[in-house]
């Protein structure tokens, strides 16, 4: 695991899920988004703990530096957004009287754009950071697979379920009806970072799926088969 997975893939994923959790809470996203974000953070911490365990067990030379980076990333990702909660919770007035976006879908004239409160603006910003971290998290793993010319040690079910989960996750947000009197364009703007974070990573996950097909028979397996072949054939 410590050689197959990129540490930056895990750290960026944890950072994205942590920002996703804080942003979903501040921006008043759907309850399902908040609940799944909590699960994602715990799952990421478990994967990171397994990574560091095998890193220490295999006595890799850079294990101490990786542990320091992982520890700092965990602390920062969990506390960076939470530090804003007391300040955000004490203010309820809208920061701008009206926040209008480009017309993404045709809406009726009676619908109006929902104003962003300071709490939602902070959540929207943290959610945007989360989507960027999600998109960047795939790049280190893609590079690791390319450098090793193998996907051995990486479970494809991880990415297959992520693809399925992100697809249904994005559709659940798109198919929900906006609140009474809220324009569809305003609804999409409020959920835009989470839509990008879920649907935007599908392309990168599909590229990783292609790597699984290309590197299906890794060079390490070819070497093992050659070494087990008899030296003298009869």
């Amino acid at each position: 695991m410590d050689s197959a997975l990129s540490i930056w893939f895990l750290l960026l994923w944890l950072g994205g899920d942590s920002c996703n959790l804080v942003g979903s809470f501040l921006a008043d996203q759907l309850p399902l988004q908040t609940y799944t974000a909590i699960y994602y953070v715990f799952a990421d911490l478990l994967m990171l703990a397994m990574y560091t365990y095998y890193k220490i067990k295999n006595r890799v030379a850079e294990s101490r530096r990786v542990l320091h980076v992982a520890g700092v990333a965990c602390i920062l990702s969990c506390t960076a957004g939470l530090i804003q909660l007391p300040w955000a919770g004490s203010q309820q007035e809208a920061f701008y009287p009206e926040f209008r976006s480009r017309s993404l879908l045709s809406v009726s004239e009676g619908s109006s754009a929902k104003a962003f409160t300071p709490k939602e603006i902070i959540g929207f910003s943290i959610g945007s950071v989360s989507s960027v971290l999600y998109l960047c998290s795939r790049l280190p793993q893609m590079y690791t697979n390319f450098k090793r010319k193998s996907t051995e040690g990486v479970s494809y079910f991880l990415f297959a379920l992520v693809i399925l989960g992100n697809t249904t996750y994005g559709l659940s947000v798109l198919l929900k009806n906006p609140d009474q009197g809220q324009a569809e364009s305003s609804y999409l703007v409020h959920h835009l970072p989470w839509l990008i974070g879920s649907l935007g990573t599908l392309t990168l996950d599909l590229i990783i799926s292609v790597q699984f097909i290309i590197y299906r028979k890794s060079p390490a397996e070819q070497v093992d088969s050659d070494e087990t072949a008899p030296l003298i054939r009869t």
Side-chain angles (χ1 to χ4, degrees):
M1 179 181 181
D2 58 302
S3 60
L5 289 178
S6 170
I7 182 61
W8 296 110
F9 168 64
L10 297 177
L11 292 177
L12 291 174
W13 207 354
L14 174 61
D17 287 334
S18 300
C19 293
N20 179 34
L21 173 59
V22 178
S24 298
F25 176 76
L26 293 178
D28 295 329
Q29 297 298 301
L30 303 178
L32 178 63
Q33 295 175 263
T34 305
Y35 299 150
T36 54
I38 296 175
Y39 167 76
Y40 290 155
V41 171
F42 280 107
D44 293 340
L45 291 174
L46 178 60
M47 291 181 61
L48 193 58
M50 294 174 61
Y51 180 93
T52 54
Y53 168 77
Y54 288 112
K55 200 75 171 176
I56 295 175
K57 182 179 179 180
N58 296 333
R59 296 182 180 180
V60 178
E62 297 182 353
S63 61
R64 185 170 299 178
R65 186 182 68 177
V66 172
L67 286 174
H68 291 166
V69 173
V72 172
C74 290
I75 295 175
L76 292 179
S77 61
C78 293
T79 59
L82 293 176
I83 197 174
Q84 302 290 340
L85 287 177
W87 176 84
S90 61
Q91 301 187 28
Q92 299 295 334
E93 297 180 0
F95 187 74
Y96 294 111
E98 188 174 16
F99 186 98
R100 296 188 178 274
S101 63
R102 293 182 299 171
S103 178
L104 301 178
L105 295 175
S106 59
V107 296
S108 60
E109 295 180 357
S111 300
S112 59
K114 182 180 178 181
F116 274 89
T117 64
K119 181 179 177 181
E120 290 177 331
I121 292 175
I122 297 175
F124 186 89
S125 302
I126 297 177
S128 301
V129 174
S130 172
S131 63
V132 173
L133 292 177
Y134 279 143
L135 294 174
C136 295
S137 65
R138 269 52 174 184
L139 300 180
Q141 187 60 43
M142 292 167 58
Y143 175 75
T144 299
N145 295 339
F146 174 77
K147 185 178 179 179
R148 295 173 65 235
K149 295 294 187 295
S150 173
T151 55
E152 184 181 5
V154 182
S155 174
Y156 178 68
F157 284 103
L158 170 66
F159 293 96
L161 293 175
V162 166
I163 292 174
L164 181 61
N166 282 333
T167 302
T168 54
Y169 181 87
L171 290 177
S172 68
V173 177
L174 290 175
L175 295 178
K176 181 183 179 297
N177 291 327
D179 296 334
Q180 186 69 25
Q182 182 183 13
E184 293 183 355
S185 58
S186 176
Y187 171 81
L188 288 178
V189 169
H190 277 74
H191 294 80
L192 188 59
W194 290 269
L195 290 174
I196 295 176
S198 59
L199 301 179
T201 57
L202 288 177
T203 302
L204 299 178
D205 288 333
L206 291 175
I207 294 177
I208 294 180
S209 300
V210 173
Q211 288 184 323
F212 272 91
I213 298 176
I214 297 176
Y215 304 137
R216 185 164 43 189
K217 188 172 181 60
S218 64
E221 294 175 348
Q222 297 177 359
V223 172
D224 292 339
S225 62
D226 293 338
E227 289 178 351
T228 56
L231 298 178
I232 301 177
R233 299 181 181 274
T234 59

